[in-house]
Short mmCIF file of all heavy atoms in Angstrom, two decimals:
data_model
loop_
_atom_site.label_atom_id
_atom_site.label_comp_id
_atom_site.label_asym_id
_atom_site.label_seq_id
_atom_site.Cartn_x
_atom_site.Cartn_y
_atom_site.Cartn_z
N ALA A 1 -90.10 -92.78 -1.56
CA ALA A 1 -90.42 -93.79 -2.56
C ALA A 1 -92.00 -93.96 -2.80
O ALA A 1 -92.47 -94.07 -3.90
CB ALA A 1 -89.95 -95.20 -2.13
N GLU A 2 -92.74 -93.84 -1.89
CA GLU A 2 -94.18 -93.98 -1.84
C GLU A 2 -94.85 -92.60 -2.60
O GLU A 2 -95.61 -92.85 -3.49
CB GLU A 2 -94.78 -93.82 -0.37
CG GLU A 2 -96.24 -93.85 -0.45
CD GLU A 2 -96.63 -93.64 1.17
OE1 GLU A 2 -96.30 -94.43 1.99
OE2 GLU A 2 -97.55 -92.74 1.41
N VAL A 3 -94.33 -91.44 -2.33
CA VAL A 3 -94.73 -90.28 -3.01
C VAL A 3 -94.28 -90.35 -4.53
O VAL A 3 -95.11 -90.11 -5.40
CB VAL A 3 -94.15 -88.96 -2.32
CG1 VAL A 3 -94.45 -87.79 -3.13
CG2 VAL A 3 -94.72 -88.88 -0.99
N ALA A 4 -93.00 -90.68 -4.77
CA ALA A 4 -92.61 -90.89 -6.21
C ALA A 4 -93.46 -91.74 -6.89
O ALA A 4 -93.84 -91.59 -8.18
CB ALA A 4 -91.19 -91.12 -6.22
N ASP A 5 -93.70 -93.04 -6.30
CA ASP A 5 -94.57 -93.90 -6.93
C ASP A 5 -95.95 -93.47 -7.29
O ASP A 5 -96.51 -93.62 -8.34
CB ASP A 5 -94.67 -95.23 -6.07
CG ASP A 5 -95.38 -96.39 -6.89
OD1 ASP A 5 -95.00 -96.94 -7.86
OD2 ASP A 5 -96.45 -96.65 -6.22
N ARG A 6 -96.53 -92.81 -6.21
CA ARG A 6 -97.97 -92.25 -6.47
C ARG A 6 -97.94 -91.18 -7.54
O ARG A 6 -98.89 -91.16 -8.40
CB ARG A 6 -98.39 -91.68 -5.11
CG ARG A 6 -99.79 -91.15 -5.19
CD ARG A 6 -100.28 -90.46 -3.82
NE ARG A 6 -100.03 -91.45 -2.81
CZ ARG A 6 -100.29 -91.23 -1.46
NH1 ARG A 6 -100.69 -89.87 -1.17
NH2 ARG A 6 -100.14 -92.00 -0.65
N ALA A 7 -97.01 -90.30 -7.55
CA ALA A 7 -96.88 -89.21 -8.59
C ALA A 7 -96.41 -89.59 -9.92
O ALA A 7 -96.73 -88.98 -10.90
CB ALA A 7 -96.05 -88.08 -8.02
N GLY A 8 -95.67 -90.71 -9.97
CA GLY A 8 -95.10 -91.23 -11.31
C GLY A 8 -93.99 -90.28 -11.80
O GLY A 8 -93.78 -90.38 -13.09
N GLU A 9 -93.25 -89.63 -10.99
CA GLU A 9 -92.19 -88.77 -11.32
C GLU A 9 -91.34 -88.49 -10.24
O GLU A 9 -91.73 -88.57 -8.97
CB GLU A 9 -92.70 -87.48 -12.12
CG GLU A 9 -93.62 -86.62 -11.19
CD GLU A 9 -94.04 -85.45 -11.95
OE1 GLU A 9 -93.10 -84.63 -12.56
OE2 GLU A 9 -95.23 -85.19 -12.06
N PRO A 10 -90.11 -87.94 -10.47
CA PRO A 10 -89.30 -87.44 -9.17
C PRO A 10 -89.80 -86.33 -8.33
O PRO A 10 -90.71 -85.72 -8.96
CB PRO A 10 -87.92 -87.08 -9.88
CG PRO A 10 -87.89 -87.78 -11.15
CD PRO A 10 -89.32 -87.84 -11.69
N VAL A 11 -89.40 -86.18 -7.24
CA VAL A 11 -90.06 -85.27 -6.20
C VAL A 11 -89.09 -84.34 -5.76
O VAL A 11 -87.98 -84.50 -5.70
CB VAL A 11 -90.45 -86.14 -4.96
CG1 VAL A 11 -91.07 -85.22 -3.88
CG2 VAL A 11 -91.48 -87.35 -5.28
N THR A 12 -89.63 -82.98 -5.69
CA THR A 12 -88.83 -81.85 -5.24
C THR A 12 -88.90 -82.07 -3.65
O THR A 12 -90.06 -82.18 -3.11
CB THR A 12 -89.33 -80.65 -5.54
OG1 THR A 12 -89.08 -80.47 -7.00
CG2 THR A 12 -88.60 -79.44 -4.96
N LEU A 13 -87.77 -82.04 -2.97
CA LEU A 13 -87.84 -82.04 -1.53
C LEU A 13 -87.56 -80.62 -1.02
O LEU A 13 -86.66 -80.04 -1.31
CB LEU A 13 -86.71 -82.86 -0.99
CG LEU A 13 -86.72 -84.36 -1.47
CD1 LEU A 13 -85.44 -85.15 -1.00
CD2 LEU A 13 -87.84 -85.06 -1.01
N VAL A 14 -88.50 -80.19 -0.09
CA VAL A 14 -88.19 -78.84 0.51
C VAL A 14 -88.20 -79.03 2.06
O VAL A 14 -89.13 -79.48 2.68
CB VAL A 14 -89.47 -77.91 0.25
CG1 VAL A 14 -89.37 -76.60 0.95
CG2 VAL A 14 -89.62 -77.67 -1.21
N GLY A 15 -86.97 -78.87 2.53
CA GLY A 15 -86.73 -79.07 4.01
C GLY A 15 -86.35 -77.91 4.69
O GLY A 15 -85.56 -77.00 4.26
N HIS A 16 -87.01 -77.58 5.96
CA HIS A 16 -86.69 -76.48 6.60
C HIS A 16 -85.75 -76.78 7.87
O HIS A 16 -85.79 -77.82 8.47
CB HIS A 16 -87.92 -75.90 7.33
CG HIS A 16 -87.72 -74.86 8.29
ND1 HIS A 16 -88.42 -74.51 9.36
CD2 HIS A 16 -86.83 -73.78 8.20
CE1 HIS A 16 -88.03 -73.37 10.04
NE2 HIS A 16 -87.03 -72.93 9.27
N SER A 17 -84.58 -76.13 7.86
CA SER A 17 -83.60 -76.37 8.89
C SER A 17 -83.05 -77.71 8.91
O SER A 17 -82.49 -78.17 7.81
CB SER A 17 -84.21 -75.91 10.31
OG SER A 17 -83.18 -75.78 11.25
N ARG A 18 -83.26 -78.54 9.99
CA ARG A 18 -82.74 -79.92 9.99
C ARG A 18 -83.41 -80.71 8.84
O ARG A 18 -82.80 -81.66 8.31
CB ARG A 18 -83.05 -80.50 11.37
CG ARG A 18 -82.45 -81.83 11.59
CD ARG A 18 -82.81 -82.47 12.73
NE ARG A 18 -82.08 -83.68 13.19
CZ ARG A 18 -82.47 -84.81 13.96
NH1 ARG A 18 -83.75 -84.72 14.38
NH2 ARG A 18 -81.69 -85.72 14.17
N GLY A 19 -84.56 -80.30 8.45
CA GLY A 19 -85.28 -81.03 7.36
C GLY A 19 -84.48 -80.94 6.12
O GLY A 19 -84.56 -81.77 5.30
N GLY A 20 -83.77 -79.88 5.96
CA GLY A 20 -83.00 -79.63 4.68
C GLY A 20 -81.75 -80.54 4.77
O GLY A 20 -81.38 -81.07 3.62
N LEU A 21 -81.36 -80.82 5.88
CA LEU A 21 -80.15 -81.87 5.93
C LEU A 21 -80.76 -83.25 5.54
O LEU A 21 -80.07 -83.99 4.81
CB LEU A 21 -79.60 -81.93 7.48
CG LEU A 21 -79.01 -80.67 7.90
CD1 LEU A 21 -78.60 -80.82 9.32
CD2 LEU A 21 -77.98 -80.23 7.12
N PHE A 22 -81.93 -83.65 6.09
CA PHE A 22 -82.61 -84.85 5.80
C PHE A 22 -82.69 -84.91 4.20
O PHE A 22 -82.50 -86.06 3.55
CB PHE A 22 -83.84 -85.00 6.42
CG PHE A 22 -83.67 -85.26 7.99
CD1 PHE A 22 -84.84 -85.35 8.75
CD2 PHE A 22 -82.45 -85.48 8.52
CE1 PHE A 22 -84.74 -85.52 10.05
CE2 PHE A 22 -82.34 -85.73 9.86
CZ PHE A 22 -83.55 -85.79 10.72
N ALA A 23 -83.24 -83.90 3.67
CA ALA A 23 -83.56 -83.78 2.24
C ALA A 23 -82.29 -84.08 1.42
O ALA A 23 -82.27 -84.72 0.40
CB ALA A 23 -84.08 -82.51 1.79
N ARG A 24 -81.12 -83.45 1.86
CA ARG A 24 -79.90 -83.57 1.20
C ARG A 24 -79.45 -85.05 1.13
O ARG A 24 -78.92 -85.64 0.27
CB ARG A 24 -78.76 -82.56 1.61
CG ARG A 24 -77.64 -82.50 0.69
CD ARG A 24 -76.46 -81.79 1.23
NE ARG A 24 -75.52 -81.43 0.32
CZ ARG A 24 -74.66 -82.50 -0.18
NH1 ARG A 24 -74.67 -83.70 0.34
NH2 ARG A 24 -73.76 -82.16 -1.07
N ALA A 25 -79.44 -85.77 2.29
CA ALA A 25 -79.19 -87.09 2.47
C ALA A 25 -80.05 -88.03 1.64
O ALA A 25 -79.50 -88.95 1.09
CB ALA A 25 -79.30 -87.52 4.06
N LEU A 26 -81.32 -87.61 1.57
CA LEU A 26 -82.28 -88.37 0.65
C LEU A 26 -81.89 -88.38 -0.81
O LEU A 26 -81.94 -89.30 -1.51
CB LEU A 26 -83.67 -87.95 0.75
CG LEU A 26 -84.40 -88.37 2.13
CD1 LEU A 26 -85.74 -87.62 2.26
CD2 LEU A 26 -84.65 -89.89 2.16
N ALA A 27 -81.34 -87.14 -1.16
CA ALA A 27 -80.97 -86.94 -2.60
C ALA A 27 -79.73 -87.69 -2.91
O ALA A 27 -79.54 -88.23 -4.03
CB ALA A 27 -80.69 -85.52 -2.90
N VAL A 28 -78.86 -87.98 -1.94
CA VAL A 28 -77.71 -88.87 -2.15
C VAL A 28 -78.05 -90.32 -2.18
O VAL A 28 -77.64 -91.12 -3.03
CB VAL A 28 -76.73 -88.63 -1.02
CG1 VAL A 28 -75.49 -89.60 -1.11
CG2 VAL A 28 -76.16 -87.19 -1.17
N ARG A 29 -79.03 -90.68 -1.38
CA ARG A 29 -79.44 -92.12 -1.41
C ARG A 29 -80.29 -92.60 -2.50
O ARG A 29 -80.19 -93.65 -2.88
CB ARG A 29 -80.19 -92.45 0.02
CG ARG A 29 -79.27 -92.25 1.22
CD ARG A 29 -79.89 -92.74 2.48
NE ARG A 29 -79.18 -92.36 3.60
CZ ARG A 29 -79.26 -92.80 4.84
NH1 ARG A 29 -80.13 -93.80 5.05
NH2 ARG A 29 -78.45 -92.55 5.82
N SER A 30 -81.21 -91.64 -2.84
CA SER A 30 -82.19 -92.08 -3.84
C SER A 30 -82.26 -91.03 -4.91
O SER A 30 -83.33 -90.41 -5.14
CB SER A 30 -83.58 -92.27 -3.26
OG SER A 30 -83.58 -93.26 -2.25
N PRO A 31 -81.14 -90.73 -5.62
CA PRO A 31 -81.19 -89.52 -6.67
C PRO A 31 -82.18 -89.80 -7.69
O PRO A 31 -82.68 -88.79 -8.32
CB PRO A 31 -79.74 -89.75 -7.19
CG PRO A 31 -79.22 -91.15 -6.88
CD PRO A 31 -79.90 -91.57 -5.69
N GLY A 32 -82.51 -90.97 -8.13
CA GLY A 32 -83.54 -91.22 -9.18
C GLY A 32 -84.91 -90.72 -8.77
O GLY A 32 -85.65 -90.52 -9.69
N LEU A 33 -85.12 -90.58 -7.46
CA LEU A 33 -86.55 -90.35 -7.00
C LEU A 33 -86.57 -88.81 -6.60
O LEU A 33 -87.58 -88.37 -6.28
CB LEU A 33 -86.84 -90.99 -5.78
CG LEU A 33 -86.84 -92.57 -5.93
CD1 LEU A 33 -87.22 -93.31 -4.57
CD2 LEU A 33 -87.84 -93.13 -6.96
N VAL A 34 -85.58 -88.09 -6.70
CA VAL A 34 -85.55 -86.72 -6.25
C VAL A 34 -85.15 -85.74 -7.55
O VAL A 34 -84.25 -85.88 -8.22
CB VAL A 34 -84.41 -86.44 -5.27
CG1 VAL A 34 -84.28 -85.02 -4.89
CG2 VAL A 34 -84.67 -87.29 -4.04
N ARG A 35 -86.00 -84.78 -7.69
CA ARG A 35 -85.83 -83.91 -8.85
C ARG A 35 -84.87 -82.75 -8.34
O ARG A 35 -83.95 -82.32 -9.08
CB ARG A 35 -87.08 -83.17 -9.22
CG ARG A 35 -87.00 -82.28 -10.45
CD ARG A 35 -88.35 -81.51 -10.84
NE ARG A 35 -89.25 -82.59 -11.24
CZ ARG A 35 -89.30 -83.34 -12.47
NH1 ARG A 35 -88.35 -83.08 -13.36
NH2 ARG A 35 -90.20 -84.20 -12.70
N ARG A 36 -85.00 -82.27 -7.13
CA ARG A 36 -84.17 -81.17 -6.58
C ARG A 36 -84.32 -81.12 -5.05
O ARG A 36 -85.45 -81.70 -4.58
CB ARG A 36 -84.36 -79.77 -7.28
CG ARG A 36 -85.72 -79.19 -6.84
CD ARG A 36 -85.78 -77.90 -7.47
NE ARG A 36 -85.88 -77.88 -8.95
CZ ARG A 36 -86.99 -78.25 -9.65
NH1 ARG A 36 -88.01 -78.64 -9.24
NH2 ARG A 36 -86.84 -78.21 -11.03
N VAL A 37 -83.45 -80.53 -4.40
CA VAL A 37 -83.60 -80.26 -3.13
C VAL A 37 -83.64 -78.71 -2.89
O VAL A 37 -82.82 -78.00 -3.38
CB VAL A 37 -82.34 -80.85 -2.28
CG1 VAL A 37 -82.37 -80.23 -0.75
CG2 VAL A 37 -82.44 -82.38 -2.30
N VAL A 38 -84.56 -78.27 -2.00
CA VAL A 38 -84.64 -76.84 -1.56
C VAL A 38 -84.38 -76.80 -0.16
O VAL A 38 -85.42 -77.38 0.72
CB VAL A 38 -85.84 -76.09 -2.12
CG1 VAL A 38 -85.79 -74.57 -1.67
CG2 VAL A 38 -86.11 -76.25 -3.52
N ALA A 39 -83.43 -76.22 0.44
CA ALA A 39 -83.13 -76.20 1.80
C ALA A 39 -83.32 -74.82 2.39
O ALA A 39 -82.85 -73.80 1.81
CB ALA A 39 -81.76 -76.59 2.06
N LEU A 40 -84.28 -74.71 3.38
CA LEU A 40 -84.61 -73.33 3.96
C LEU A 40 -83.83 -73.14 5.33
O LEU A 40 -84.22 -73.87 6.32
CB LEU A 40 -86.02 -73.30 4.18
CG LEU A 40 -87.01 -73.61 3.04
CD1 LEU A 40 -88.44 -73.52 3.37
CD2 LEU A 40 -86.66 -72.83 1.80
N GLY A 41 -82.83 -72.34 5.31
CA GLY A 41 -82.11 -72.17 6.55
C GLY A 41 -81.43 -73.39 7.07
O GLY A 41 -81.41 -73.59 8.36
N SER A 42 -80.95 -74.31 6.30
CA SER A 42 -80.20 -75.52 6.76
C SER A 42 -78.83 -75.37 6.84
O SER A 42 -78.14 -74.86 5.83
CB SER A 42 -80.63 -76.60 5.80
OG SER A 42 -82.10 -76.74 5.70
N PRO A 43 -78.08 -75.78 7.80
CA PRO A 43 -76.68 -75.68 7.96
C PRO A 43 -76.15 -76.80 7.16
O PRO A 43 -75.28 -77.62 7.69
CB PRO A 43 -76.43 -75.81 9.48
CG PRO A 43 -77.59 -76.71 9.82
CD PRO A 43 -78.77 -76.27 9.14
N LEU A 44 -76.10 -76.65 5.79
CA LEU A 44 -75.61 -77.70 4.96
C LEU A 44 -74.12 -77.83 4.91
O LEU A 44 -73.56 -78.83 4.77
CB LEU A 44 -76.06 -77.48 3.60
CG LEU A 44 -77.57 -77.49 3.27
CD1 LEU A 44 -77.83 -77.03 1.86
CD2 LEU A 44 -78.17 -78.91 3.46
#
């Protein structure tokens, strides 16, 4: 929310491994703040 507010637009989330799982969960919780999710080697 802080990054999206600062940028003034939705954010692309790039998560590595477990970080990609977190990114996907964030996209479900705050879809209006997320442009897309890119997961690197994440067991989605």
Side-chain angles (χ1 to χ4, degrees):
E2 175 187 309
V3 171
D5 181 65
R6 183 183 304 178
E9 60 180 302
V11 180
T12 293
L13 303 175
V14 178
H16 180 211
S17 195
R18 190 187 190 204
L21 300 180
F22 290 174
R24 194 185 189 287
L26 286 172
V28 171
R29 296 189 186 192
S30 301
L33 302 181
V34 177
R35 184 176 302 282
R36 68 179 62 81
V37 170
V38 183
L40 311 179
S42 303
L44 296 174

